[in-house]
């Protein structure tokens, strides 16, 4: 999966942790952009405005 | 249809589960591997993959949680740095204690009793503090006494707390020993230690706790990934849900009262202690029902507490906006808020 089986040991571990980190940052930025666009609308909707 | 070797239904289950865990993690700064590892074990993943994937997931979620808390100014880097160094040293000490106990053949019994006792003890202490005025006095008395110890160098933490770096180091070392001894991340010990022992405000304790978990989670994930024991598709889908949940959970800490955070935290710990005790008894006496009770308790408590947290935040949002139209959600919310407020107020008075 993800081509990581072709490498081994510490390199594989660094690649795995790096992939998880990259996904986390991407999601943080992506959801951040989404919440800055829609956040107030949702808060207002939930708040009943 | 499969994505990264996983069916759509399973992918949706993992994303939903991630959302639930992310909300709890963003709110409490704990609960990641505590919930993911047992879930993966129940689904039939080998124990090393369950633990390794749990750690990788905790790392990813805590990166997002820490960034979110940083945005809210709820991370103290000095505190996190000292705690991380002290806990790393302490964990090595805790492992040595485990190896010594294994040689005597008493390790399993002592570790299990200590784990259940600590979860229950910290849970009861937190519950007492959340529900009583006298509890607040006791915890602030302890923090005042700790802050009065002037061993240099003194450091000033966020929230105006001034405390000895040596004391912070000693607290971190003690938590590290317990973490290494029990084989847990230590989040459930670190957060109350910062709140009650050092007098750090709850929101900053959560943010700092998450930063520390990020560092230890990265190290743990790296260790397991060396032997290929991380299921990346599982971690990926869990993260997809938890990234949103962590954002919601961290945002809610700004809306919900400190005492409410403590109350929910205590409920999670008490449910966890009963679940662990039930699981261990089930294994010892071969009673499958107790193992089922344990699983239901862990996931039921997670679902109930995360729902309560979100409802409390919705109540606060609606309470801050008087004059809006009354609808069924508002009525249900108002009823919940009245019950909730009455419970806390009647107990504290």
């Amino acid at each position: 999966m993800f081509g990581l089986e072709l490498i081994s040991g510490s390199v594989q571990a660094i690649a795995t942790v790096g992939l998880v980190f990259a996904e986390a940052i991407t999601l943080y930025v992506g959801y951040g952009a989404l919440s800055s666009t829609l956040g107030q609308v949702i808060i207002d909707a939930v708040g009943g405005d | 249809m499969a994505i990264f070797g996983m069916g759509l239904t399973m992918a949706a289950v993992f994303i939903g589960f991630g959302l639930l865990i992310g909300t709890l993690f963003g709110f409490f700064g704990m609960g990641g591997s505590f919930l993911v590892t047992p879930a993966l074990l129940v689904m039939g993943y080998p124990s090393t993959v369950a633990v390794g994937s749990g750690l990788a997931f905790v790392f990813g979620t805590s990166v997002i949680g820490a960034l979110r808390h940083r945005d809210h100014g709820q991370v103290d880097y000095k505190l996190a740095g000292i705690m991380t160094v002290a806990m790393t040293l302490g964990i090595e000490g805790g492992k040595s204690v485990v190896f010594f106990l294994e040689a005597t053949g008493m390790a399993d019994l002592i570790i299990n009793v200590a784990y259940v006792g600590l979860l229950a003890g910290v849970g009861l202490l937190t519950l007492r503090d959340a529900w009583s005025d006298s509890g607040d006095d006791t915890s602030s008395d302890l923090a005042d006494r700790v802050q009065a110890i002037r061993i240099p160098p003194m450091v000033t933490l966020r929230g105006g707390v001034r405390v000895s770096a040596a004391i912070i180091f000693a607290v971190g070392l003690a938590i590290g020993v317990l973490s290494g001894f029990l084989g847990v991340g230590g989040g459930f010990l670190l957060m109350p230690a910062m709140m009650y022992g050092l007098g750090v405000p709850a929101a900053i304790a959560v943010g700092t706790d998450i930063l520390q978990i990020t560092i230890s989670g990265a190290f743990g994930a790296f260790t397991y990934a060396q032997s290929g024991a991380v299921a990346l598709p599982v971690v990926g889908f869990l993260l997809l849900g938890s990234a949103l949940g962590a954002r919601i959970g961290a945002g809610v800490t700004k809306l919900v009262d400190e005492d409410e955070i403590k109350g929910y935290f205590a409920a999670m710990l008490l449910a966890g202690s009963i679940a662990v005790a039930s699981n261990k008894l089930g294994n010892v006496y071969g009673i499958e029902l107790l193992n089922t009770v344990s699983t239901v308790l862990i996931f039921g408590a997670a679902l109930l507490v995360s729902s309560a947290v979100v409802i409390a935040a919705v109540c606060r949002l609606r309470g801050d906006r008087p004059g809006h139209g009354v609808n069924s959600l508002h009525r249900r919310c108002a009823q919940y808020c009245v019950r909730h407020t009455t419970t806390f107020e009647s107990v504290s008075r």
Side-chain angles (χ1 to χ4, degrees):
Chain A
M1 188 62 58
F2 303 102
L4 293 185
E5 58 276 9
L6 299 175
I7 51 177
S8 61
S10 297
V11 181
Q12 182 185 13
I14 290 168
T16 302
V17 173
L19 263 176
V20 173
F21 183 74
E23 186 189 354
I25 296 293
T26 306
L27 290 172
Y28 177 75
V29 173
Y31 282 136
L34 197 66
S35 68
S36 63
T37 312
L38 297 174
Q40 197 54 49
V41 177
I42 293 169
I43 287 172
D44 287 344
V46 171
D49 283 351
Chain B
M1 185 183 163
I3 309 169
F4 298 129
M6 187 178 288
L8 273 181
T9 310
M10 280 310 291
V13 166
F14 279 120
I15 292 171
F17 191 47
L19 182 70
L20 178 81
I21 297 170
T23 306
L24 291 172
F25 193 87
F27 190 74
F28 294 124
M30 62 158 274
S33 56
F34 178 59
L35 293 165
V36 171
T37 304
L40 295 180
L41 286 172
V42 167
M43 288 174 177
Y45 285 88
S47 56
T48 50
V49 175
V51 176
S53 304
L55 284 167
F57 166 72
V58 165
F59 165 62
T61 305
S62 58
V63 166
I64 295 161
L67 287 169
R68 191 78 187 117
H69 279 278
R70 187 205 59 162
D71 289 349
H72 290 185
Q74 294 169 342
V75 176
D76 191 300
Y77 296 99
K78 270 182 282 188
L79 184 58
I82 298 169
M83 282 288 186
T84 301
V85 173
M87 281 184 69
T88 307
L89 292 173
I91 285 169
E92 290 303 315
K95 279 184 193 167
S96 306
V97 177
V98 173
F99 290 138
F100 171 75
L101 287 174
E102 272 180 349
T104 66
M106 299 280 286
D108 275 356
L109 177 68
I110 293 175
I111 289 170
N112 288 335
V113 169
Y115 193 15
V116 172
L118 262 176
L119 275 174
V122 175
L124 288 171
L125 175 77
T126 313
L127 194 65
R128 179 169 159 263
D129 181 53
W131 280 13
S132 71
D133 284 342
S134 59
D136 274 346
D137 292 340
T138 307
S139 62
S140 61
D141 280 354
L142 175 63
D144 286 344
R145 278 202 294 273
V146 169
Q147 288 167 22
I149 303 171
R150 302 275 168 184
I151 303 172
M154 298 295 288
V155 289
T156 304
L157 307 175
R158 276 186 186 271
V161 176
R162 190 161 168 76
V163 68
S164 163
I167 298 287
I168 298 173
F169 190 87
V171 170
L173 198 65
I175 294 170
V177 169
L178 283 169
S179 297
F181 176 63
L182 299 173
V184 295
F188 79 94
L189 295 168
L190 195 56
M191 186 183 146
M194 285 191 281
M195 281 194 311
Y196 303 121
L198 305 176
V200 176
I204 293 169
V206 172
T208 308
D209 181 26
I210 289 182
L211 180 63
Q212 194 279 328
I213 291 168
T214 305
I215 299 162
S216 57
F219 182 71
F222 175 81
T223 308
Y224 277 85
Q226 280 180 312
S227 53
V230 173
L232 270 177
V234 172
V235 177
F237 286 120
L238 281 170
L239 266 182
L240 208 56
S242 73
L244 183 60
R247 193 165 271 279
I248 294 169
V252 168
T253 56
K254 284 277 190 187
L255 293 169
V256 179
D257 285 345
E258 186 152 319
D259 277 350
E260 286 182 83
I261 295 180
K262 290 175 183 171
Y264 296 133
F265 183 69
M268 281 292 292
L269 290 178
L270 290 173
S273 70
I274 297 168
V276 172
S278 176
N279 178 265
K280 297 300 174 191
L281 285 174
N283 288 340
V284 169
Y285 295 107
I287 306 169
E288 191 53 39
L289 180 66
L290 286 177
N291 289 333
T292 309
V293 167
S294 167
T295 307
V296 169
L297 205 56
I298 287 177
F299 295 110
L303 187 63
L304 280 175
V305 173
S306 58
S307 303
V309 162
V310 171
I311 290 171
V314 171
C315 286
R316 179 58 55 88
L317 280 173
R318 297 188 84 86
D320 287 345
R321 288 171 167 76
H324 53 71
V326 175
N327 56 30
S328 62
L329 173 65
H330 183 210
R331 277 198 300 276
R332 282 201 300 276
C333 240
Q335 286 161 0
Y336 171 88
C337 289
V338 167
R339 280 202 306 274
H340 205 70
T341 311
T342 307
T343 307
F344 276 108
E345 286 183 350
S346 61
V347 173
S348 64
R349 281 170 192 163

